[in-house]
């Protein structure tokens, strides 16, 4: 019954599903061509780029962003944002390192996961129950939890011992963060493309009023999306704390920009209703390969930030042009 209602929620989109699929194909191909061009360029410029260990470094570098971007794609498809992810990751980490000495690693991990879920719950409550705009809500939460992390950690880096699982390479020399990223991407791919819940998120992003009229509980569905984002914050917080062996108020700074860049660059529309996990993965790799390649070429990190900002602006510009084209076409 739910599936039928979801399919009815977007009759216009269902009727044009094939034409839209053809229109999206060039965009995906364009992203892949750009990624391949990056790989070829940096391969020619540096003999170390195609090294297996270097690709392990790339996957490790993009893992945290990728875990958060998976949930970010799901939310943006429904027309929602979560800009609190960076401070959420830092808060999860500080909860872990502060409680581990007294509680032990496993109870501290459980408490840290609850902290991440709590952030998602607060975001979801404010957006769906109180009715505060998602952008304002999550920007506010960004400041709140960055401040709380600073207060709890007293502005210092706090180290943790015996929590280095994310530094392991358990299979074929593949780093653990890369394995976690692949698992998360697989889960969200199935969730978005093969479940009723995923179709509901697309329907809400396409037309929330129509989705509500045909019986979709819009607020409940969106609330669940924010909870999933909180779960990804928790996982990312555990990953980054294990990688660094510490946490501080500066942990996760700039993750919001990195996540938004990957998601929008991958083709997820700011207007909601369209986007894929595959596109986000390609966008993530484009940013990761660019950063790694520039590092190998000894380009200053400040210019790497400039390049990331340019990519974000270009991605938003392309999204606007695509929306204008779709409105003209139909």
């Amino acid at each position: 019954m739910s599936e039928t209602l979801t399919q009815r929620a977007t009759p216009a989109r269902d009727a044009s599903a094939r034409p839209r699929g053809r229109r999206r194909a060039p965009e995906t191909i364009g992203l892949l061509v750009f990624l391949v061009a990056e790989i070829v360029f940096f391969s020619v410029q540096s003999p170390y780029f195609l090294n297996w260990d270097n690709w392990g470094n790339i996957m490790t570098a993009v893992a945290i962003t990728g875990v958060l971007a998976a949930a970010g794609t799901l939310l943006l498809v429904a027309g929602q944002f979560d800009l609190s992810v960076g401070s959420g990751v830092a808060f999860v980490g500080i909860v872990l390192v502060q409680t581990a000495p007294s509680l032990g690693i496993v109870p501290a991990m459980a408490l840290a996961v609850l902290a991440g879920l709590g952030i998602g719950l607060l975001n979801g409550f404010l957006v769906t129950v109180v009715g505060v705009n998602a952008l304002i809500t999550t920007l506010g939460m960004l400041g709140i939890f960055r401040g709380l992390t600073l207060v709890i950690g007293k502005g210092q880096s706090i180290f943790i011992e015996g929590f280095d699982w994310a530094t392991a390479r358990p299979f074929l020399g593949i780093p653990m963060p890369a394995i976690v990223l692949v698992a998360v991407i697989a889960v969200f791919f199935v969730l978005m493309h093969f479940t009723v819940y995923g179709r509901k998120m697309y329907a809400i992003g396409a037309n929330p009023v129509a989705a509500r009229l045909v019986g979709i509980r819009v607020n409940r569905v969106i609330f669940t999306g924010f909870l999933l984002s909180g779960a990804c914050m928790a996982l990312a917080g555990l990953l980054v704390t294990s990688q660094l062996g510490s946490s501080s108020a500066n942990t996760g700074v700039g993750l919001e920009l990195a996540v938004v860049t990957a998601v929008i660059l991958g083709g997820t529309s700011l207007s909601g209703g369209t986007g894929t996990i595959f596109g986000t993965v390609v966008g993530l790799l484009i940013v990761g390969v660019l950063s790694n390649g520039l590092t190998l070429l000894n380009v200053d990190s400040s210019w790497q930030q400039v390049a990331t900002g340019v990519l974000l602006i270009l991605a938003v510009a392309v999204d606007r042009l695509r929306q204008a084209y779709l409105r003209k076409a139909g």
Side-chain angles (χ1 to χ4, degrees):
M1 180 66 175
S2 298
E3 182 175 348
T4 303
L5 291 174
T6 307
Q7 290 170 343
R8 287 164 48 198
T10 54
R13 287 179 179 263
D14 289 340
S16 59
R18 286 196 188 91
R20 281 196 356 266
R22 286 196 296 268
R23 286 195 292 266
R24 281 202 304 265
E27 175 193 336
T28 306
I29 292 172
L31 288 172
L32 288 172
V33 168
F34 187 85
L35 177 60
V36 170
E38 274 190 329
I39 292 172
V40 171
F41 175 79
F42 289 123
S43 299
V44 171
Q45 296 297 317
S46 173
Y48 306 106
F49 181 76
L50 288 180
N51 185 282
W52 177 255
D53 288 336
N54 185 58
W55 274 93
N57 293 335
I58 293 174
M59 295 304 295
T60 299
V62 302
I64 305 300
T65 303
V67 168
L68 297 170
T73 304
L74 177 68
L75 282 174
L76 192 54
V77 157
Q80 304 297 316
F81 295 85
D82 190 349
L83 299 180
S84 65
V85 290
S87 59
V89 165
F91 186 73
V92 167
I94 209 71
V95 168
L96 174 66
V97 298
Q98 283 281 34
T99 57
S102 57
L103 298 181
I105 293 292
V106 174
M109 285 177 62
L111 196 59
V113 169
L114 287 175
L117 289 173
I119 296 173
L121 188 149
L122 279 173
N123 285 335
F125 176 81
L126 289 171
V127 171
T128 63
V129 178
V130 180
V132 183
N133 177 273
L135 183 63
I136 302 302
T137 294
T138 56
L139 274 176
M141 287 298 175
L142 184 156
I144 290 170
F145 284 99
R146 184 65 66 188
L148 286 174
T149 303
L150 184 62
V151 170
I152 295 172
K154 299 178 180 178
Q156 300 178 350
S157 292
I158 302 175
F159 294 89
I160 184 172
E161 296 182 359
F163 192 70
D164 58 353
W165 61 274
T167 61
R169 294 179 176 241
F171 179 69
L172 297 177
I174 301 173
M176 181 60 76
I179 296 173
V180 172
L181 174 60
V182 170
V184 170
I185 291 298
V187 168
F188 275 85
F189 180 82
V190 172
L191 181 67
M192 290 181 64
H193 300 289
F194 296 101
T195 69
V196 173
Y197 176 79
R199 289 193 286 273
K200 286 179 179 179
M201 291 293 271
Y202 279 102
I204 291 168
N207 192 329
V209 175
R212 188 176 286 108
L213 288 175
V214 299
I216 295 175
R217 297 183 176 181
V218 172
N219 287 340
R220 179 179 293 185
V221 173
I222 291 175
F223 184 87
T224 302
F226 279 106
L227 273 182
L228 289 170
S229 181
C232 286
M233 279 186 226
L235 179 56
L238 296 180
L239 270 173
V240 73
T241 304
S242 179
Q243 286 179 299
L244 299 175
S246 66
S247 187
S248 72
N250 292 323
T251 301
V253 170
L255 271 176
E256 300 84 8
L257 174 63
V259 169
V260 169
T261 301
V263 173
I264 297 178
L265 184 62
T268 301
S269 174
L270 286 168
S271 304
T274 60
T276 64
I277 285 292
F278 175 73
T280 295
V281 170
V282 177
L284 186 70
L285 288 175
I286 286 174
V287 175
V289 166
L290 179 65
S291 178
N292 179 267
L294 292 176
T295 299
L296 290 177
L297 297 182
N298 295 317
V299 175
D300 188 88
S301 60
S302 300
W303 286 108
Q304 294 181 31
Q305 293 181 33
V306 170
T308 301
V310 169
L311 275 178
L312 176 59
I313 293 172
L314 288 175
V316 174
V318 169
D319 177 61
R320 296 293 92 187
L321 291 172
R322 184 174 67 250
Q323 291 303 315
Y325 168 73
L326 290 176
R327 282 195 297 270
K328 265 188 193 177

